Amino acid sequence: MLSRTLNSLLTDPTISEKMMILAGPRQVGKTTLAKQWGNASLNGYLYYNWDDEKTRRSFRKDSKFFESQAREKGGNCRIILDEIHKIPQWKTVLKGYFDTLGDQFSFFVTGSARLEILQRTGDSMLGRYHLLHLYPLHPFEAEKKETQVVSPATLNTHYEEILGTTPCSIETIKNLLVFSGFPEIFLKQSERSLTLWHREYLQRLIREDLRDLSRITDLLKLEHLIEILPHKVGSPLSLNSLREDLLCSHDTVKSMIHALEKLYIILLIPPYHKRIPYSLRKESKLYFLDWTLVPEEGARFENFVAIQLISFCHMINDGGWGNLDLFYVRDKQKKEVDFLITNNHKPVFLVEVKIKPSSHTKELEYFGGKLRPLAKFQVVAEPHIFKQIKKDLWVLSINRFFNLLWKVPGLV
């Protein structure tokens, strides 16, 4: 059984006192994590999936159909509601559950679509839930190590000590790059299984989830878009260019990109422009939650790092330890650094990603001079690299960099 860092939040009284809502891509392990949470209860748990016709039928007859079963299990029964966002007025339904039953039972809600919509649709659920995110595996999870998040309060000290300790295996990272961070297919480590999984996974997302959650009707055009996008990874995304490739309108392309983002197929990272002369302001960079869809080695590695960084940012935010955001930095002279993490809008890290180490760090230093982050990193795929170029500038292997994000008790 893989150990997920998010487990630490599920047992945190500050988080679990309210309804917990878990968002993330399909097949990333949300249901498994939810059932682990359920099994930890002395009274057991109840699980309902709105993809199941039996659950939908029971709900139509009585919206609180589970109440009698929960009372039979005793006090504080744990109730898991999966894919409930697919029903009309689901936010109102959840509000009703918490207001009338929240003091008697514990609720855990999961879904593959972007449940962040709760944070943008008024205050009907305000104060009743904690939104959590589950992303593909990070290397320590893949190695089945119990991990803790590194608090932002400690990120400005002891770099040499943190980065110099025993890192995760570079072989684990190589396996993640080949087989993805989706638990089922990573554990199989079979290229044939990966090919079959890609086909089934994308078909289900496009033919079922997109049909349920969007008004897109031209699925063939959408499939064509998904074929094009892996070659756009790591570059500012031009909707006009995609419009020309697909021979459709700007609004159509925009709606398809939004739908793919909503279903956690892609991640969009915006540019950071404060204090950057002639910076880009509109075009986001695109990455796939399943980085194995990206064929080119350098782009795939950058994509992998992007997902690891957004996972770290959300873990910090979900736990209430900070307010992290992920950006990239680029100006109109095409000077660029791949990633910038900010905390409460203040720059924390600049991260440049490369396959092999490079002596060229001018862009890191240039943007570092403008933004004044705590530290700057050139992160490389090649193993056994660990150099401090300046007081706040490091060139290091990817496995050492992860020590800065995730803490293994007893090692870091």
Side-chain angles (χ1 to χ4, degrees), residues 51-269:
D51 278 337
D52 181 6
E53 176 57 33
K54 182 180 178 181
T55 298
R56 294 197 298 269
R57 193 184 309 119
S58 299
F59 175 80
R60 286 193 294 268
K61 291 179 180 178
D62 177 10
S63 64
K64 296 180 181 177
F65 64 96
F66 54 82
E67 185 176 357
S68 60
Q69 298 177 56
R71 295 196 185 283
E72 288 176 6
K73 284 187 172 291
N76 203 31
C77 173
R78 295 185 173 185
I79 302 170
I80 302 169
L81 309 175
D82 202 349
E83 302 291 338
I84 193 174
H85 64 276
K86 292 186 178 180
I87 64 172
Q89 298 182 323
W90 59 274
K91 296 181 289 298
T92 302
V93 171
L94 289 180
K95 177 179 179 294
Y97 288 166
F98 185 82
D99 288 348
T100 60
L101 302 172
D103 59 340
Q104 303 168 60
F105 311 122
S106 297
F107 289 94
F108 195 118
V109 181
T110 72
S112 56
R114 282 200 176 275
L115 295 175
E116 288 99 314
I117 192 173
L118 281 168
Q119 297 176 327
R120 303 193 297 269
T121 54
D123 61 356
S124 64
M125 286 286 289
L126 189 64
R128 297 174 172 86
Y129 72 97
H130 285 294
L131 178 63
L132 310 175
H133 299 81
L134 187 64
Y135 281 94
L137 298 168
H138 65 68
F140 290 120
E141 291 176 330
E143 293 181 347
K144 302 183 180 180
K145 294 176 179 175
E146 293 188 7
T147 49
Q148 302 167 357
V149 70
V150 177
S151 168
T154 66
L155 292 180
N156 61 346
T157 58
H158 308 301
Y159 286 121
E160 187 169 358
E161 179 184 348
I162 293 171
L163 299 173
T165 52
T166 305
C168 58
S169 167
I170 201 74
E171 291 303 316
T172 300
I173 294 172
K174 288 180 179 178
N175 286 333
L176 283 168
L177 285 166
V178 173
F179 297 110
S180 87
F182 289 80
E184 178 187 354
I185 201 64
F186 174 79
L187 290 172
K188 288 182 179 179
Q189 300 211 355
S190 161
E191 292 194 16
R192 181 185 179 192
S193 295
L194 178 64
T195 300
L196 293 171
W197 181 80
H198 274 159
R199 184 183 306 150
E200 295 165 2
Y201 184 76
L202 289 174
Q203 284 181 352
R204 183 170 183 182
L205 282 170
I206 294 171
R207 302 289 174 178
E208 295 182 23
D209 291 357
L210 274 172
R211 179 194 61 203
D212 294 339
L213 296 170
S214 75
R215 298 179 180 178
I216 295 173
T217 57
D218 194 342
L219 298 183
L220 288 177
K221 191 154 289 187
L222 185 64
E223 290 174 348
H224 185 201
L225 175 63
I226 293 176
E227 290 176 1
I228 293 173
L229 289 180
H231 303 281
K232 308 288 187 181
V233 163
S235 300
L237 187 66
S238 169
L239 296 185
N240 280 331
S241 175
L242 291 174
R243 177 185 61 78
E244 294 172 358
D245 290 337
L246 296 171
L247 300 177
C248 62
S249 70
H250 183 276
D251 287 344
T252 298
V253 173
K254 187 175 180 179
S255 66
M256 288 193 292
I257 291 292
H258 176 71
L260 294 177
E261 184 185 20
K262 184 178 179 181
L263 286 172
Y264 284 94
I265 298 174
I266 62 172
L267 168 72
L268 296 178
I269 296 180

